[in-house]
């Protein structure tokens, strides 16, 4: 069914109904300007939230956003921050390449005068800003008409137009359909309205069609197939990798310290503080060889962590430092291990080591 066939006037009616609903039901989010408030969005806060929200939920992002904007309220503040402080503050949010791109982007914006580009083309030239993020920032921060398609929008549009082609093959069709209903005015509000509709009404498992403001325009509802769209191509199983993390400790009582290293500048968890490990990667298993000669104890704990392209199961080994050479790194107080900004994988490994080897005894 084409847009002109839809009841109530097609694309214009869909946009009007959705914006009217958004004015009354918009989510209150820490990075969002409420519709009708008369305030102008801060491009820095819009950009920061969109980078954080990539492949992450609103609930997970909210406390990180609050902490980042408290510590670094402007893009200039963030650009001036030491890399290790930003990476530590990001720890636990995942997909750590985003944090490195965040730093690079902030510094590039400041070097260019401290003002974000206001077009999709200009925004896409920045580190870490892809097509979706550029469109979202252009629409929300600058009011540009842009076609903004995230996972929520994909779901809404797939149902609205009864697009049966499975994702990801349907992405071009979804984008074309989204373009057709995106208004010239209030494009940022329209984009956020679509996101809110997907998050709160047109949900994954149980779309609430009875309260949907555009239900009368929805082809999938009319055909009784809303709950099964969008269709998705089955995912291939992720490869299974194995590795080992090494807990190297010195000192006694309150003076206990553990050796932390910095991950290589490129690759998985690049530049992050971590426990020493054995060279595992997306391409292969670790070699299991400890970084120093010591009396190693295999701990009765392991950590399994899902990365984008593989799943890692990491064994834990622990030893006391005997005064010999160790890998380049820093000795971190065990009592403050939670302040080290370890990525989730290694934070869980540290917790496992402490649970199995709480006193550092062999």
């Amino acid at each position: 069914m084409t847009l002109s066939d839809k009841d109530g006037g097609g694309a214009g009616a869909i946009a009007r109904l959705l914006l009217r609903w958004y004015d009354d039901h918009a989510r209150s989010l820490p990075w969002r300007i409420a519709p009708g408030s008369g305030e102008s969005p801060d491009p820095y806060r819009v950009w920061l939230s969109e980078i954080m929200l990539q492949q992450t939920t609103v609930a997970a992002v909210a406390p990180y956003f609050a902490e980042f904007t408290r510590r670094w309220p402007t893009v200039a503040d963030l650009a001036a921050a030491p890399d290790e402080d930003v990476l530590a503050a990001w720890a636990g949010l995942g997909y750590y390449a985003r944090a490195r791109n965040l730093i690079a982007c902030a510094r590039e914006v400041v070097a260019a005068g401290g003002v974000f580009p206001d077009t999709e083309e200009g925004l896409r030239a920045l580190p870490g800003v892809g097509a979706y993020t550029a469109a979202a920032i252009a629409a929300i921060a600058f009011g540009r008409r842009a076609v903004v398609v995230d996972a929520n929008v994909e779901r809404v549009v797939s149902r609205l137009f009864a697009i049966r082609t499975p994702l990801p093959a349907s992405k071009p069709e979804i984008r074309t359909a989204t373009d057709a209903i995106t208004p010239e005015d209030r494009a940022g509000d329209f984009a956020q309205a679509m996101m809110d509709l997907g998050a709160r009404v047109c949900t994954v498992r149980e779309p609430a069609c009875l309260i949907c403001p555009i239900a009368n325009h929805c082809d999938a509802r009319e055909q009784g197939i809303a709950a099964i769209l969008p269709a998705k191509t089955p995912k291939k199983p992720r490869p299974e990798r194995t590795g080992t993390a090494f807990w190297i400790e010195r000192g006694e009582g309150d003076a206990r310290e553990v050796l932390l290293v910095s991950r290589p500048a490129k690759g998985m968890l690049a530049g992050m503080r971590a426990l020493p490990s054995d060279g595992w990667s997306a391409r292969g298993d670790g070699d299991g060889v400890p970084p120093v000669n010591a009396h190693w104890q295999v701990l009765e704990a392991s950590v399994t962590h899902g990365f984008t392209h593989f799943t890692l199961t990491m064994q834990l080994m622990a030893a006391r430092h005997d005064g010999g050479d160790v890998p380049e790194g820093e000795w971190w107080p065990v009592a403050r291990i939670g302040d080290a900004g370890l990525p989730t994988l290694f934070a869980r490994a540290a917790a496992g080591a402490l649970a199995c080897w709480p006193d550092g005894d062999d």
Side-chain angles (χ1 to χ4, degrees):
M1 188 181 296
T2 66
L3 275 172
S4 60
D5 294 328
K6 291 182 181 291
D7 297 336
I14 291 171
R16 287 192 297 274
L17 288 167
L18 192 58
L19 287 168
R20 189 181 306 155
W21 173 83
Y22 181 70
D23 288 341
D24 293 334
H25 300 284
R27 286 181 293 178
S28 177
L29 301 174
W31 47 83
R32 179 181 284 180
I33 299 298
S37 68
E39 298 179 45
S40 297
D42 179 352
Y44 168 65
R45 293 171 70 89
V46 174
W47 162 75
L48 179 61
S49 68
E50 288 298 334
I51 298 300
M52 287 185 164
L53 285 164
Q54 292 171 5
Q55 298 177 292
T56 312
T57 66
V58 166
V61 164
Y64 284 88
F65 181 85
E67 179 63 9
F68 265 70
T69 51
R70 182 191 69 79
R71 294 179 66 176
W72 305 297
T74 69
V75 69
D77 295 322
L78 183 60
D83 289 18
E84 57 269 24
D85 288 356
V86 178
L87 291 170
W90 189 275
L93 199 52
Y95 300 98
Y96 294 97
R98 294 181 298 161
R100 297 189 293 276
N101 283 329
L102 192 80
I103 297 166
C105 184
R107 291 172 181 167
E108 189 166 314
V109 169
V110 169
V115 178
F116 281 88
D118 64 356
T119 65
E120 287 185 74
E121 182 181 8
L123 289 161
R124 286 199 68 173
L126 296 173
V129 179
Y132 161 76
T133 305
I137 297 170
I140 297 168
F142 299 109
R144 299 279 189 179
R145 185 189 182 279
V147 182
V148 183
V149 184
D150 71 352
N152 280 315
V153 176
E154 285 180 342
R155 184 166 59 258
V156 170
V157 173
S158 291
R159 291 168 175 172
L160 186 63
F161 290 87
I163 296 173
R164 295 172 180 261
T165 306
L167 285 166
S170 61
K171 284 180 179 289
E173 189 176 356
I174 291 171
R175 179 178 173 79
T176 297
T178 308
D179 190 6
I181 61 174
T182 299
E184 292 292 337
D185 296 328
R186 295 188 67 187
D189 282 347
F190 178 81
Q192 292 176 108
M194 291 284 280
M195 295 174 194
D196 281 12
L197 190 72
R200 304 177 73 176
V201 176
C202 196
T203 53
V204 175
R205 291 182 177 84
E206 296 182 3
C209 298
L210 291 177
I211 61 171
C212 177
I214 56 175
N216 288 339
H217 296 265
C218 182
D219 291 347
R221 176 177 179 266
E222 182 178 340
Q223 296 172 31
I225 58 172
I228 65 171
L229 295 180
K232 295 183 179 180
T233 302
K235 293 182 178 179
K236 295 180 180 179
R238 289 185 293 190
E240 301 278 345
R241 305 297 185 207
T242 60
T244 306
F246 302 99
W247 180 273
I248 306 172
E249 188 178 305
R250 71 180 186 184
E252 303 289 343
D254 293 341
R256 289 170 65 198
E257 297 176 317
V258 62
L259 182 70
L260 300 181
V261 298
S262 293
R263 299 277 300 171
K266 294 183 179 180
M268 305 298 300
L269 309 177
M272 302 290 291
R273 285 194 188 103
L275 299 175
S277 58
D278 64 347
W280 55 264
S281 72
R283 294 178 296 278
D285 298 337
D287 58 21
V289 178
V292 296
N293 291 323
H295 180 57
W296 289 98
Q297 179 178 340
V298 177
L299 302 183
E300 294 182 1
S302 63
V303 176
T304 299
H305 185 80
F307 289 97
T308 304
H309 301 298
F310 71 104
T311 299
L312 173 71
T313 298
M314 197 163 64
Q315 177 64 59
L316 307 179
M317 296 178 66
R320 296 282 302 171
H321 178 234
D322 61 4
D325 292 338
V326 294
E328 182 178 351
E330 57 186 318
W331 290 101
W332 193 271
V334 170
R336 293 198 299 107
I337 194 65
D339 300 328
L342 299 177
T344 301
L345 169 65
F346 286 100
R348 291 173 60 201
L354 287 171
C356 295
W357 211 57
D359 301 319
D361 294 330
D362 293 340

